[in-house]
Amino acid sequence: MTEQASYDLDPEAPVLPAAAPTPMMGQYLEIKSVNPGYLLFYRMGDFYEMFFEDAETASRALGIVLTKRGKHLGQDIPMCGVPVHAAQDYLKKLIGLGHRVAICEQVEDPAEAKKRGSKSPVKRDVVRLVTAGTITEDDLLPARASNFLAALAMVRHGATDYSLAYADISTGETAVLDLPAESVADELARIEPAELLLSPATRAALADTRARLPDAALVDLPAESFDSERASQRIRQSFGESVDPTAFSRGGRAALGALLGYALESQKGKPLALRPPTAGNVAAHLAIDAATRSSLELLQTQRGTLKGSLLAEIDETVTPAGARLLAQRLAAPLCDPAAINARLDDVAALADEAVLGLKLRGALKRVPDLTRALTRLSLDRGGPRDLRAVAGAILAAHELAEFLDGLSEPPAGLLRVGEGLRRAPQALARELDRALEEEPPLATVAGGFLRPGYDEPLDAERRLGSETRTVVAALQARLVAETDLKSLKIRHNGILGYFVEVPAAQGGRLLEEPLRQTFIHRQTLANVMRFTTAELAELEGRIARAHEAALAIELRVFAELVASVRGATAELRAAADALAELDVAAALAHLSQTRSFCRPRIDKSLAFEIVDGWHPVVEAMVRADRQSFVTNDADLSGDAEGGQIWLVTGPNMGGKSTFLRQNALIAILAQMGSFVPAREAHIGVVDRVFSRVGASDDIGGGRSTFMVEMVETAAILNRATRASLVILDEIGRGTATFDGLSVAWATVEALHSQTRCRALFATHFHELTSLAKSLPRLSNHTMKVREWEGEVVFLHEVATGAADRSYGIQVARLAGLPDSVLARARQVLGVLEQRAAQNQGSSGRLSAVLDDLPLFSQALPPREATVNPLHEMLDAVRPDELTPREAIELVYELKKARDVARRSR
Ligand code: ADP
């Protein structure tokens, strides 16, 4: 019987003769109405079915067939479904597209429902809400990234404007933070929550600020969800005595309460395994706003990929927990020199001990993801493999602690790590190891995960089970002898259980006396007949009971083991943290060795002195092209008056942006506690980094290039302090030349004389270089180029002084602009430069000057053929097929062709 056919015979089938819903559809609509905003996965047999609009949405999103099933209020009911065994994949896709899904299961045996009457639907209930911010399943989560749920509360009366709570439900990490309005967008950009909870009033208030919200799914919660009284209760409920709700501000309580409410609801009664929240402090870490994060491509590129980002370039961690911690550190570098130096000490200690580092990393590679295994076990969603993971991690922790003992002078950080590792309870690991099979199944349902010899009653039941199997074999032999049917077999299947099977041709004998006394007919198929006997039925009962009894014992033991793991949560978490920290320190040490990074000198001064610095991502790209990256110095070190500003001019493609960004990246890497891509670096801690790169439209946000740039520049001038590092790349280019120049001019002056921060300012407005005469802390620098036979060669070297020209036309030529356009551009440039030299180039007159030029079409020779004979010759060459002699001849021919081309130019 097919799946479909069984539906039709089922009282649950939503076929409706009249307008009233069937009992099942009634149940469906009721459950749907209490879960608004969720796609309802409604369990029917081996499928999750969706109806009505949900079905239409899901079939579009998942590309699955939309069918019809019965009628509701006279209309066809659209339906589609996904098989339960493949549900994770579909869920992943739906969540990725921003949907939220309610999983509705059958919560009683269908036989129970039948007892209430043939029309009675099986009881169902929503057992889980799956949303982007509340996932704990490994399959649905990125292993090496955090997955935060965040809640934002607005504070009406208080010192700060907003409070933000965030938690990664899969790892338990939780934090609460009070913050001023202007930091909201920055913090959200740092945390990158998968889901952000807020009240409609907060959403409206945020819309008024110009803050750009992250791409997170925004979830409106009613204002009551942010009630701080109710929040206190929830906080006690979730964290018990360990957390005092009054330790948080009112706003903090409100945000945390809303978050807990939503998270608890999503797990439908299962307690959350959150860790006591840390009360964050915005000032403790280096502030990096959303625009800067995106322009520096810290955790992802501007195209949204990990590949090509700074994180991808420096991530040498070997465990998922280490990768998550590294990403968090990069997202939130520190500001306290002592804390930064402590991290650097750890890295340095491991960098000095290459062999030890290798051993540590080798051992770390084999460590399972303890944090997430713990969370699944606390949420009752864990399986035998999670217990194995716990055991494996504990053993590894002790092994690693021993390795660390090999350090002659361990720094404080690594000592703490060692202590954390040793807290992992070894007795528990031994117990788990004794209990569990080496490679247990993922789930508990079928049993078979406990080792023989661990539990005596279990072994007894299992013996009974296998002994009865030998009894079955003996019975078969006896029946063969009794019936004289050699082909008689005892078989088993899921529907009939155990049965006697004989070829159909011989089955007749068993239906006749005397054998029909023993054999009871069950089934006749085309080729075989099936029977049972009283003895076989009795045996079957014994086997099933033994199996059930064994399973019951396994489940009980599993629950006991889970309880002992939970009892050791604090120690296990300490060990998990230590493992992640060790992975990060070892990874950064490895990075510093393989990439020749140096330890930066960090203090509270206004120093910023980089010797031979490089951009780690661009360097890797350049190296992949078999070229070498040119390292550059930078010195922005401030004095009592303020920081230095370097004004950088030079042609496009000269390496200005690379140079600017590499210095910001060096500061960020240093303050996260990493060695840096330079030969030497001395950095006085930076409180905020700003990086603005002109020319990026925010089309989605409805703002033009210039507007975006000005909003961002305003943010810098309003927020940067003397301790900040500001990188401005070509601002003022999205408007008329003189407007842009004036804005850039005034901005440089303000940075120099008001903000007094350390800054790098790249520009095409050569006029700005004259500012060096009046601003004492501003100096001119340029990207060196060499002109060679009419072409520019970029040396990528920063030198003192100003660029004499922009080389725009040469760069345009490299880009392949047609020769006719290039020639015309040279003509226009010639006239403009001549006029400027005569000091007549005011804007009003400019058009008049240009009017004097002959028209484009008249001024130029007819358009040259765009085919380049040299290129054609090269295209025709097959290097592998050339003899040495032919190769030499080819070189001569190529040179000849080039001479011809030159003469004809
Ligand atoms: P600009 O901002 O002046 O237009 P970029 O910084 O974008 O120039 O650099 C253009 C390209 O030049 C880069 O993509 C890179 O390939 C190369 N480049 C930049 N700086 C260096 C360097 N220091 N050494 C080698 N190649 C470099």
Side-chain angles (χ1 to χ4, degrees):
M1 202 188 288
T2 67
E3 207 69 57
Q4 296 295 320
S6 73
Y7 280 170
D8 284 338
L9 299 175
D10 191 336
E12 300 220 310
V15 182
L16 301 168
T22 57
M24 192 222 76
M25 206 25 85
Q27 182 196 51
Y28 172 86
L29 292 171
E30 193 186 320
I31 296 176
K32 179 77 194 159
S33 72
V34 290
N35 292 288
Y38 288 86
L39 292 175
L40 188 63
F41 267 34
Y42 183 84
R43 178 74 180 257
M44 292 180 79
D46 292 335
F47 281 77
Y48 288 119
E49 302 289 5
M50 282 157 279
F51 300 106
F52 301 105
E53 268 179 35
D54 283 6
E56 284 161 5
T57 310
S59 81
R60 261 196 314 273
L62 300 172
I64 51 177
V65 185
L66 188 65
T67 56
K68 285 180 288 207
R69 199 130 207 116
K71 286 192 188 304
H72 179 64
L73 304 176
Q75 302 279 322
D76 286 336
I77 302 176
M79 178 183 99
C80 71
V82 300
V84 172
H85 66 85
Q88 295 287 57
D89 291 341
Y90 291 107
L91 267 177
K92 191 170 184 170
K93 200 156 174 199
L94 288 171
I95 301 301
L97 289 168
H99 294 289
R100 301 186 295 157
V101 178
I103 310 279
C104 174
E105 294 288 355
Q106 301 179 176
V107 292
E108 68 174 353
D109 192 328
E112 288 296 312
K114 285 237 170 61
K115 285 188 200 153
R116 288 195 301 272
S118 64
K119 288 238 161 13
S120 186
V122 180
K123 261 196 204 133
R124 289 185 174 83
D125 220 339
V126 171
V127 297
R128 176 78 206 285
L129 300 173
V130 186
T131 73
T134 58
I135 313 170
T136 53
E137 289 83 350
D138 253 5
D139 295 357
L140 302 178
L141 278 170
R144 294 173 72 85
S146 301
N147 189 61
F148 286 115
L149 170 68
L152 185 68
M154 197 165 38
V155 183
R156 295 230 165 62
H157 316 282
T160 55
D161 309 314
Y162 289 91
S163 294
L164 180 68
Y166 59 94
D168 183 337
I169 305 208
S170 69
T171 63
E173 186 188 345
T174 311
V176 180
L177 196 73
D178 294 327
L179 67 179
E182 71 262 20
S183 298
V184 171
D186 297 0
E187 286 306 301
L188 290 174
R190 172 175 72 83
I191 298 161
E192 291 193 308
E195 238 178 326
L196 175 64
L197 315 173
L198 70 189
S199 71
T202 309
R203 191 199 270 248
L206 277 184
D208 285 346
T209 69
R210 291 173 193 259
R212 209 175 342 161
L213 290 178
D215 288 336
L218 299 185
V219 181
D220 277 324
L221 292 186
E224 308 88 82
S225 303
F226 287 87
D227 178 75
S228 57
E229 290 307 308
R230 215 158 83 195
S232 298
Q233 275 174 18
R234 284 209 185 108
I235 293 170
R236 281 208 195 82
Q237 221 176 36
S238 301
F239 300 106
E241 293 303 310
S242 62
V243 176
D244 174 10
T246 58
F248 304 105
S249 68
R250 247 180 79 174
R253 279 202 300 278
L256 184 57
L259 182 144
L260 292 173
Y262 187 80
L264 282 166
E265 175 69 14
S266 75
Q267 309 297 323
K268 289 288 169 189
K270 301 257 165 58
L272 299 167
L274 296 182
R275 313 172 75 162
T278 52
N281 175 1
V282 196
H285 50 248
L286 170 60
I288 314 172
D289 61 30
T292 302
R293 276 173 205 284
S294 135
S295 115
L296 293 177
E297 308 195 307
L298 296 181
L299 272 73
Q300 55 181 32
T301 64
Q302 295 189 329
R303 279 165 288 121
T305 59
L306 173 66
K307 191 162 179 279
S309 67
L310 178 64
L311 176 62
E313 198 58 51
I314 63 160
D315 186 357
E316 294 284 353
T317 58
V318 293
T319 67
R324 294 193 294 265
L325 183 63
L326 183 78
Q328 280 178 23
R329 289 200 180 165
L330 182 57
L334 303 175
C335 284
D336 172 22
I340 297 168
N341 280 317
R343 285 186 184 174
L344 290 170
D345 286 343
D346 295 349
V347 178
L350 296 178
D352 288 345
E353 299 269 355
V355 179
L356 177 69
L358 217 63
K359 273 205 280 190
L360 287 174
R361 285 164 54 78
L364 279 163
K365 254 181 220 155
R366 297 189 299 270
V367 180
D369 197 343
L370 178 59
T371 313
R372 282 189 175 160
L374 282 178
T375 302
R376 277 191 301 272
L377 290 168
S378 334
L379 288 173
D380 278 339
R381 214 171 281 139
R385 278 191 207 163
D386 290 313
L387 290 180
R388 260 266 154 234
V390 172
I394 295 174
L395 294 176
H398 284 272
E399 187 191 357
L400 287 162
E402 262 170 47
F403 285 160
L404 279 183
D405 288 345
L407 280 174
S408 47
E409 283 177 54
L414 291 180
L415 278 178
R416 221 185 36 244
V417 164
E419 282 161 24
L421 293 173
R422 280 189 212 286
R423 285 188 67 192
Q426 273 174 309
L428 176 64
R430 279 194 292 271
E431 182 70 13
L432 292 171
D433 188 46
R434 224 162 53 77
L436 294 160
E437 288 284 1
E438 210 64 55
E439 286 184 14
L442 194 61
T444 48
V445 277
F449 50 87
L450 290 182
R451 281 193 208 259
Y454 178 69
D455 184 282
E456 181 40 42
L458 172 65
D459 289 344
E461 294 297 347
R462 282 180 174 165
R463 263 197 307 277
L464 201 64
S466 56
E467 274 164 15
T468 24
R469 279 192 195 96
T470 48
V471 179
V472 168
L475 178 62
Q476 174 173 311
R478 213 170 69 227
L479 292 177
V480 167
E482 274 174 34
T483 57
D484 212 14
L485 293 176
K486 294 252 155 27
S487 46
L488 180 148
K489 293 252 155 32
I490 294 182
R491 292 183 183 279
H492 182 270
N493 72 21
I495 298 164
L496 293 183
Y498 284 94
F499 53 83
V500 175
E501 188 174 277
V502 293
Q506 293 156 9
R509 284 193 42 211
L510 305 188
L511 294 169
E512 290 162 12
E513 293 294 351
L515 289 176
R516 62 175 289 197
Q517 294 295 330
T518 314
F519 292 91
I520 307 154
H521 179 255
R522 298 283 311 266
Q523 208 176 30
T524 301
L525 302 180
N527 301 324
V528 293
M529 268 192 187
R530 290 168 175 175
F531 300 84
T532 186
T533 74
E535 203 178 346
L536 185 60
E538 204 263 338
L539 250 182
E540 174 162 23
R542 260 166 55 199
I543 293 173
R545 277 193 300 279
H547 180 74
E548 261 169 45
L551 185 61
I553 294 174
E554 285 206 69
L555 293 178
R556 179 178 50 73
V557 172
F558 179 78
E560 286 165 9
L561 293 173
V562 171
S564 21
V565 169
R566 279 193 205 157
T569 301
E571 293 82 1
L572 289 169
R573 278 184 175 158
D577 287 352
L579 284 168
E581 264 189 60
L582 183 59
D583 187 18
V584 169
L588 290 175
H590 182 72
L591 177 79
S592 73
Q593 286 173 318
T594 51
R595 304 285 294 268
S596 310
F597 283 17
C598 78
R599 178 177 180 153
R601 213 171 106 209
I602 302 285
D603 52 34
K604 275 215 160 91
S605 67
L606 283 185
F608 194 93
E609 196 180 349
I610 311 297
V611 180
D612 281 336
W614 67 91
H615 188 304
V617 181
V618 178
E619 190 271 336
M621 270 160 30
V622 169
R623 186 158 32 91
D625 275 347
R626 290 164 188 274
Q627 302 197 348
S628 50
F629 190 93
V630 180
T631 58
N632 278 303
D633 300 350
D635 189 358
L636 308 175
S637 300
D639 53 25
E641 297 296 315
Q644 297 286 329
I645 301 182
W646 276 24
L647 192 76
V648 186
T649 47
N652 274 319
M653 295 299 288
K656 294 187 300 299
S657 311
T658 307
F659 174 65
L660 260 58
R661 289 190 174 121
Q662 84 190 25
N663 286 299
L665 296 183
I666 287 172
I668 288 171
L669 282 169
Q671 290 188 217
M672 78 173 273
S674 166
F675 282 22
V676 298
R679 192 154 57 81
E680 275 174 44
H682 177 195
I683 299 174
V685 277
V686 171
D687 66 345
R688 289 169 176 275
V689 179
F690 292 96
S691 166
R692 284 302 164 281
V693 179
S696 73
D697 268 324
D698 175 16
I699 297 172
R703 301 186 294 187
S704 72
T705 308
F706 186 65
M707 186 63 185
V708 173
E709 195 183 295
M710 286 302 107
V711 167
E712 293 178 357
T713 309
I716 298 178
L717 294 175
N718 292 332
R719 299 174 66 191
T721 72
R722 191 174 291 203
S724 302
L725 175 66
V726 172
I727 303 278
L728 283 169
D729 194 359
E730 301 197 13
I731 68 155
R733 301 229 293 158
T735 183
T737 311
F738 285 176
D739 285 9
L741 172 58
S742 328
V743 170
W745 186 288
T747 304
V748 174
E749 285 180 335
L751 287 176
H752 179 273
S753 306
Q754 285 169 9
T755 314
R756 295 166 182 262
C757 58
R758 293 161 283 182
L760 287 162
F761 196 106
T763 186
H764 272 286
F765 296 125
H766 290 204
E767 294 82 346
L768 291 181
T769 54
S770 63
L771 275 168
K773 291 190 211 110
S774 53
L775 305 180
R777 281 173 288 105
L778 181 115
S779 52
N780 290 326
H781 302 266
T782 180
M783 305 306 303
K784 274 217 249 176
V785 288
R786 192 166 291 150
E787 251 186 301
W788 187 73
E789 299 200 346
E791 309 231 350
V792 274
V793 179
F794 304 116
L795 302 179
H796 303 302
E797 198 183 313
V798 180
T800 36
D804 50 349
R805 335 180 359 212
S806 271
Y807 299 95
I809 294 175
Q810 284 88 337
V811 174
R813 176 158 170 229
L814 286 182
L817 232 62
D819 285 346
S820 56
V821 173
L822 291 172
R824 173 65 168 171
R826 274 191 214 102
Q827 237 178 8
V828 175
L829 181 68
V831 173
L832 290 175
E833 282 180 345
Q834 202 183 350
R835 286 290 171 149
Q838 292 163 5
N839 209 9
Q840 289 178 354
S842 78
S843 77
R845 307 280 302 280
L846 205 57
S847 58
V849 173
L850 293 175
D851 283 346
D852 291 347
L853 278 167
L855 287 176
F856 183 92
S857 52
Q858 295 166 3
L860 292 163
R863 198 157 169 248
E864 297 158 23
T866 45
V867 272
N868 181 327
L870 276 172
H871 291 179
E872 290 207 318
M873 285 170 74
L874 281 170
D875 285 345
V877 175
R878 301 223 172 103
D880 293 336
E881 293 171 14
L882 289 181
T883 63
R885 193 193 168 84
E886 283 168 342
I888 287 200
E889 274 167 12
L890 180 71
V891 174
Y892 283 116
E893 274 175 45
L894 283 170
K895 281 183 82 81
K896 209 191 290 165
R898 191 196 57 171
D899 292 342
V900 172
R902 251 198 216 141
R903 277 198 297 278
S904 63
R905 211 184 269 164

